[in-house]
Amino acid sequence: MIPGKYRSVSGRAANNVNCGLHLVIQPSSLPEKNKVEFKLNRDTPSFPGRLLQHDLERNYSSRQGIIRDGRVISPSPRNKSSCISSTTNLTELCGLEMKTTTSSLSAFGDSSIQTPSKSRIRQGCHSAGPNISGDHINLVNSSMPSFPILQHSSEEKSLYSDRLTLERQKLTVCPIIDGEEHLRLLNFQHNFITRIQNISNLQRLIFLDLYDNQIEEISGLSTLRSLRVLLLGKNRIKKISNLENLINLDVLDLHGNQITKIENVNHLCDLRVLNLARNLLSHVDNLTGLDSLTELNLRHNQIAFVRDVDHLPSLQRLFLSFNNISSFDSVSCLADSTSLSDITFDGNPIAQESWYKHTVLQNMTQLRQLDMRRITEEERRMASVVAKKEEEKKRESQKQSLLKEKKRLTINNVARHWDLQQRVANNATNQDRKDSASPPQDPCQTEGSTISPFPEDTGAVDSGLTSALQSLSVIDTHLVEVDGDTLSLYGSGALESLDRNWSVQTAGMITTVSFTFIEFDEIVQVLPKLKIKLPNSLHLKFKETNLAMLQQFNALAQLRRIDQLTVDPQGNPVVNFTLWKYYVLFRLSHFSMQKINGTEVTQNDMIMAERLFGILAHVASSELPQYHLISILGDARKKQFRYLLETKGKKPGIVNEENNDSKRLVGENTNRATLNYTTREFYNEKLEDIKEKKKFCKMYIEDLVKEATEINMKNEALQKLWPQMFIELVRDAVIETRNKNSYMKLCLQQITDQK
Amino acid sequence: MLSPERLAQPDYEYLAQRHVLTYMEDAVYQLLENREDISQYGIARFFMDYFNSVCQGTHILFREFSFIQATPHNRASFLRAFWRCFRTVGKNGDLLTMREYHCLLQLLCPDFPLELTQKAARIVLMDDAMDCLMSFSDFLFAFQIQFYYSEFLDSVAAIYQDLLSGKNPNTVIVPTSSSGQYRQRPALGEAGVPEGVEASLFYQCLENLCDRHKYSCPPLALVKEILNGVQRLTFYGFLGTLSKHPGINQALGALPDKADLMQDPAMDEELERLLAQVPGLVPAVTATPELGCPPSRTPPRVGSPWRPLHHPRKVDTESDGSTEETDESET
């Protein structure tokens, strides 16, 4: 009863006159004129705008007569039958007996709104021009607020007593419909109605079309218990509400609104078609109770996931086109629906995926149509094949990631071991140097780690060729990995992998060998194997290997070739030395290395290295006594050395005829070969050995020297005695020959005796 | 043989004291080690080779530590070898850490104990900041003292310790162990008493020690000279001065004077020759192994400035070299 409201309403109505509707509200009490006359748009031409939208939505509803977001239902009875054919219950609307009701207006609409005056409304049928105005529709000009009152002409009433179409009438409010209690079909399409009201008296109403209005809230429908079709498309509704009493609802069209959530529909057990296209839904759920729902249209929302669809026993068609579904998991409940035969996903991220089609087909075997296309047997077969492949791939990748995880764990484990070992070794060195030579190697110390020992199979080495990354074996205390041209070894146990049979191809491919968490001394022991098994390894990497001394690099000289050397500062104290690089260059100069720790080796580096250590090499090669040289070079080099000795003896000219290459090699080697490295363990052994031998030598020398000194003493004693002895001898001789005659006689006597 | 001392004691002791036994033992050991190879070129030649190398001081190269420290001559030879081999490092101006010097030492003697290097570094650095960088000459001279007079210094440390704690050091004759004893020094020094010990008292003790000491000691006159200069001194102060004293270095005879430390013309010449080969690809290199080797073996022997240590018979060394050459050509 607000005067202002009325005024504005009537004012708007007045403004709209030009546009084809003229309402004349007359404060008249004449019984004949107390009717609102209206004409049904029997031959309403299809509205281009509506059809356009319909076409845009493009679906097969026209074929099947299903209501989509585009409106198909036309108010004209002729069209209706064809359009709502699928909703068979509706067809009976067509056969509704037309009755004209001229009932009192007092029972109109919201009882709270009293209309003091009655108006006569006449609708312009085909061309609602201003000229029509004034003839049949009268606006009641009153100072009191009021609604337009609608009256039929009796002739029309008799013809279409059960339907009323007020299409494109620029209505801003629902008019009071008087005396039309038997009305079954009411059409307010394309008006400006903001609120549903004044129709609560139409309790027989079956079909209510409010398409394209400005309704913001569903209301005023609580009395319309027989309503079966409610069309509220293209309005401004934000919330599904106030449908509690519409238990017979068959079709509910809410497309083109601003609904964000599906709610308050669970009681609609007879609802067969629900259209929520072009809303603001972010997800689908709360669908329980919709036991008759056969079609659910959810196109053009922002749906990311769908739930509860498996609780719709009759659902056959579900339209999810143009939403935000990106994974099958978010719509997985669809797979559980047994009734679903037709589904669309086009315009979703999911539909872009390569796996989309076969995943859907694989999971929803009951489907007959997908994205408007019939599913063929062939497609199904394909889908199952692809799905199987997909499954395998997935398993493979799972395995890969499992392996990766295992690798990570193993490396962690190895690192832990290493740390432990280092600590123990350090303690041992502090207490007793010898103990450090044998650090504890107890693989059982892993605190129940999750890694299960991976079966060691030697065959895997070959198959490792195909995949870029394949772990050869994972055992919780060490790890061996071939990744392309890189062989990575973690933990000292990994060195055993060099004992295995490597295929020529695999071994040939490996150019980089990386050692991590392995004592350098242990690596030294496998270097000869490395040389044989992996002849192409050019790049060595050391990390956490306890490289602490320059002399350790000597061990690398025995390899065939090294182009690059990378010594990670982590766990290799030697890298902190200013000289280490030059020493490497010097000692391994016969490899003419290209890179050290990723830095190119320059000519200057080479010269510097030679400048720093050249004398050492010279001293080592030229000043070392030969006997020691031999013992240092060891058996392998002895031959070469002997060869060198032999050639050295000959004239240079003759030597020239010999194979120059091998000689240069020998020369290169012997220059520096004396700088070699024996691991601490071996060296200790050697020292023990030396001790033994020295002990023996000491005893031997002691004996010798004692003997010699004794002899010397005797000799000296003899020397002392000898002069006296000589004197005695001479004295005896002199005494004997003193008497010449008697001595002569004696001599003669002796001669005759002899004869 | 003709030394008059020889007559004063039994032969065996005389030989042992002169370390002749050490070398004989080692020679036999070497013979034992490489008997097959040596038998090929003659035992007489081997002994000639061996004792020659002992004379030249090259016998200690790449030997085990127990042998290197066995005789004063070996120690001096090792010092000299170290200087010769790594003079270039010092010449390059690099300052190195104790550990790096230790690595260099280990290049020549794989089992060289870290403890000795540490002690030498302590002489240079005067405190426990062991990661500091040292110049080559500082380290070398400190190392010389520490290595050559190792046992003597241990005894001195013990005496110093006793003096600090107020004991009469004369009762202590030979310390059993060395390391760890003077670690407590800072704690004692902090006790408000002026740091160190009285120089004169210290000298008396050292004099006493040198009389008894069977290992080599620095010349007492020089020690006296050092100690006369100061009132009080600390252990490391003493060692520092000792290491820097040119007289001690001369007496030891292994290294040249500090001023000449970087000079070694013979070796520099050799190095230049080696550097010429570095590019490694110049055609001249192919000829050098044959042509370069025989001369490279002779010059260091002839030109080696080793004589200060071995005054006797410059001629002998040279003739030795020449006979060797002829021998070689005969084989």
Side-chain angles (χ1 to χ4, degrees), chain B:
Chain B
M1 274 289 193
L2 301 173
S3 157
E5 284 171 69
R6 181 213 164 283
L7 302 171
Q9 55 185 322
D11 301 321
Y12 189 80
E13 274 94 77
Y14 173 77
L15 290 174
Q17 199 226 338
R18 293 279 143 156
H19 303 292
V20 177
L21 288 183
T22 313
Y23 294 113
M24 281 167 74
E25 277 163 25
D26 189 57
V28 173
Y29 164 71
Q30 296 290 344
L31 186 61
L32 195 64
E33 271 294 89
N34 310 297
R35 48 186 176 275
E36 286 120 43
D37 297 291
I38 289 168
S39 61
Q40 281 188 357
Y41 70 88
I43 289 176
R45 189 167 159 68
F46 159 72
F47 279 112
M48 187 276 296
D49 228 10
Y50 180 83
F51 288 106
N52 232 349
S53 74
V54 171
C55 283
Q56 286 155 11
T58 57
H59 62 303
I60 42 77
L61 290 170
F62 312 110
R63 292 296 305 273
E64 59 279 0
F65 179 72
S66 58
F67 179 68
I68 286 175
Q69 62 144 20
T71 73
H73 172 66
N74 285 4
R75 292 183 190 199
S77 304
F78 183 74
L79 283 169
R80 187 167 180 80
F82 180 73
W83 167 71
R84 287 179 70 199
C85 288
F86 299 112
R87 178 182 56 91
T88 43
V89 173
K91 205 174 175 183
N92 195 38
D94 287 327
L95 299 180
L96 306 180
T97 61
M98 180 274 291
R99 289 211 168 261
E100 203 157 2
Y101 282 118
H102 182 65
C103 270
L104 296 182
L105 287 169
Q106 284 197 322
L107 286 176
L108 290 178
C109 167
D111 62 340
F112 201 88
L114 184 64
E115 202 191 1
L116 267 181
T117 325
Q118 274 172 338
K119 282 182 182 174
R122 223 170 262 140
I123 296 174
V124 180
L125 300 171
M126 295 284 186
D127 56 15
D128 288 337
M130 294 300 276
D131 286 338
C132 287
L133 297 169
M134 295 169 272
S135 79
F136 182 74
S137 64
D138 283 352
F139 176 78
L140 185 63
F141 285 119
F143 177 71
Q144 168 172 255
I145 296 291
Q146 179 61 52
F147 181 55
Y148 196 84
Y149 297 124
S150 185
E151 292 81 4
F152 171 74
L153 292 190
D154 287 347
S155 309
V156 171
I159 288 168
Y160 178 79
Q161 210 56 50
D162 286 343
L163 281 178
L164 265 189
S165 55
K167 264 192 267 175
N168 184 6
N170 288 333
T171 55
V172 182
I173 296 171
V174 173
T176 44
S177 111
S178 50
S179 64
Q181 285 198 354
Y182 40 75
R183 295 272 163 77
Q184 308 142 4
R185 178 181 58 93
L188 291 163
E190 278 164 5
V193 199
E195 219 189 357
V197 294
E198 214 171 313
S200 54
L201 186 63
F202 193 44
Y203 175 69
Q204 278 174 18
C205 297
L206 292 189
E207 200 173 21
N208 216 333
L209 176 72
C210 286
D211 286 346
R212 288 189 313 252
H213 209 276
K214 56 177 176 171
Y215 296 102
S216 37
C217 312
L220 209 54
L222 293 173
V223 176
K224 189 173 186 180
E225 185 190 321
I226 291 167
L227 291 176
N228 277 346
V230 285
Q231 270 288 309
R232 303 183 70 81
L233 81 174
T234 62
F235 181 63
Y236 283 102
F238 173 64
L239 293 194
T241 328
L242 204 62
S243 69
K244 291 190 182 99
H245 198 281
I248 303 267
N249 186 34
Q250 270 164 18
L252 232 158
L255 304 177
D257 288 341
K258 192 170 181 180
D260 300 331
L261 196 63
M262 299 307 168
Q263 307 299 316
D264 191 357
M267 272 300 160
D268 279 342
E269 206 174 283
E270 198 60 45
L271 186 61
E272 284 310 315
R273 208 179 52 76
L274 285 168
L275 280 177
Q277 296 176 30
V278 167
L281 301 166
V282 272
V285 184
T286 43
T288 30
E290 306 91 77
L291 295 173
C293 268
S296 79
R297 284 181 63 86
T298 23
R301 295 194 180 174
V302 181
S304 161
W306 192 229
R307 282 144 224 154
L309 201 64
H310 300 276
H311 329 275
R313 295 159 305 179
K314 188 193 293 186
V315 198
D316 266 13
T317 337
E318 271 175 354
S319 66
D320 274 355
S322 62
T323 44
E324 192 188 345
E325 285 303 314
T326 46
D327 279 357
E328 251 176 15
S329 56
E330 279 161 16
T331 45

Side-chain angles (χ1 to χ4, degrees), chain A residues 690-706:
Chain A
I690 288 175
K691 230 188 216 166
E692 281 297 305
K693 285 184 180 166
K694 282 235 158 173
K695 215 166 132 194
F696 167 77
C697 292
K698 199 178 162 104
M699 271 161 57
Y700 177 69
I701 289 291
E702 209 176 292
D703 289 350
L704 264 185
V705 170
K706 271 190 182 143

Side-chain angles (χ1 to χ4, degrees), chain A residues 689-733:
Chain A
D689 187 40
I690 288 175
K691 230 188 216 166
E692 281 297 305
K693 285 184 180 166
K694 282 235 158 173
K695 215 166 132 194
F696 167 77
C697 292
K698 199 178 162 104
M699 271 161 57
Y700 177 69
I701 289 291
E702 209 176 292
D703 289 350
L704 264 185
V705 170
K706 271 190 182 143
E707 206 178 315
T709 47
E710 244 168 67
I711 290 167
N712 192 31
M713 235 157 65
K714 285 174 188 163
N715 190 23
E716 274 174 28
L718 181 70
Q719 291 293 335
K720 267 183 209 157
L721 278 175
W722 177 246
Q724 193 57 43
M725 282 164 69
F726 188 74
I727 289 166
E728 292 296 317
L729 273 174
V730 170
R731 202 166 60 101
D732 281 2

Side-chain angles (χ1 to χ4, degrees), chain A residues 165-412:
Chain A
T165 301
L166 289 169
E167 234 177 274
R168 295 179 191 274
Q169 299 302 318
K170 309 219 158 69
L171 291 172
T172 56
V173 291
C174 295
I176 296 168
I177 300 167
D178 205 9
E180 299 279 354
E181 284 81 10
H182 296 287
L183 205 62
R184 294 208 165 186
L185 188 149
L186 184 55
N187 185 344
F188 283 120
Q189 283 191 18
H190 302 291
N191 282 294
F192 303 98
I193 297 166
T194 55
R195 188 178 158 90
I196 308 168
Q197 55 196 168
N198 300 338
I199 55 166
S200 56
N201 58 330
L202 306 172
Q203 292 187 6
R204 296 256 188 114
L205 204 62
I206 286 171
F207 186 104
L208 176 59
D209 186 349
L210 283 159
Y211 173 77
D212 191 16
N213 277 285
Q214 295 170 5
I215 296 161
E216 292 178 358
E217 190 195 6
I218 304 173
S219 63
L221 299 171
S222 53
T223 56
L224 307 177
R225 288 178 173 275
S226 28
L227 197 66
R228 306 188 75 157
V229 178
L230 177 58
L231 308 175
L232 287 165
K234 213 177 172 198
N235 275 289
R236 298 171 183 175
I237 297 163
K238 294 191 168 61
K239 190 168 182 249
I240 306 173
S241 59
N242 297 325
L243 297 172
E244 284 74 19
N245 293 328
L246 307 180
I247 45 167
N248 290 318
L249 212 54
D250 196 82
V251 174
L252 177 58
D253 180 8
L254 287 165
H255 86 271
N257 280 289
Q258 295 153 25
I259 296 163
T260 55
K261 196 172 152 192
I262 301 176
E263 57 189 339
N264 302 324
V265 292
N266 310 68
H267 60 288
L268 301 172
C269 56
D270 286 335
L271 191 71
R272 293 190 308 122
V273 176
L274 175 58
N275 187 349
L276 283 165
R278 294 186 189 274
N279 274 290
L280 305 171
L281 296 173
S282 62
H283 62 273
V284 177
D285 61 353
N286 200 11
L287 294 171
T288 47
L290 296 168
D291 290 342
S292 307
L293 197 67
T294 49
E295 177 177 320
L296 177 57
N297 189 342
L298 295 164
R299 297 156 61 102
H300 289 285
N301 279 286
Q302 291 138 31
I303 296 164
F305 62 90
V306 177
R307 282 194 210 123
D308 278 359
V309 172
D310 46 329
H311 294 133
L312 301 171
S314 313
L315 188 71
Q316 293 173 13
R317 290 171 294 278
L318 174 62
F319 305 104
L320 282 163
S321 313
F322 302 100
N323 274 294
N324 203 16
I325 297 162
S326 54
S327 74
F328 191 78
D329 285 343
S330 52
V331 294
S332 57
C333 64
L334 301 181
D336 299 329
S337 169
T338 49
S339 53
L340 207 59
S341 66
D342 185 354
I343 197 162
T344 67
F345 280 119
D346 51 316
N348 279 289
I350 192 179
Q352 308 293 320
E353 305 285 350
S354 55
W355 44 263
Y356 158 66
K357 195 166 183 180
H358 52 80
T359 309
V360 172
L361 292 185
Q362 184 65 21
N363 285 287
M364 303 171 69
T365 46
Q366 73 278 26
L367 276 193
R368 291 216 306 271
Q369 290 206 43
L370 173 63
D371 293 334
M372 304 298 173
R373 300 218 334 247
R374 188 157 284 280
I375 297 159
T376 63
E377 273 309 304
E378 183 62 30
E379 275 175 317
R380 259 185 227 287
R381 256 202 311 280
M382 282 286 286
S384 72
V385 169
V386 174
K388 246 180 236 163
K389 269 188 200 161
E390 200 72 20
E391 187 72 15
E392 271 167 32
K393 230 189 219 169
K394 210 168 158 190
R395 230 177 288 142
E396 185 63 24
S397 78
Q398 232 168 13
K399 211 165 123 191
Q400 289 292 334
S401 60
L402 202 73
L403 278 179
K404 253 186 201 166
E405 178 63 14
K406 251 186 202 168
K407 176 185 159 190
R408 197 184 60 78
L409 284 172
T410 310
I411 291 175
N412 282 350

Side-chain angles (χ1 to χ4, degrees), chain A residues 436-478:
Chain A
S436 70
S438 57
Q441 288 175 333
D442 185 5
C444 300
Q445 275 170 333
T446 56
E447 10 156 288
S449 90
T450 51
I451 321 150
S452 57
F454 192 78
E456 250 191 286
D457 54 333
T458 46
V461 179
D462 288 9
S463 60
L465 271 173
T466 46
S467 69
L469 178 140
Q470 171 157 13
S471 292
L472 295 180
S473 62
V474 183
I475 292 170
D476 52 351
T477 50
H478 66 263

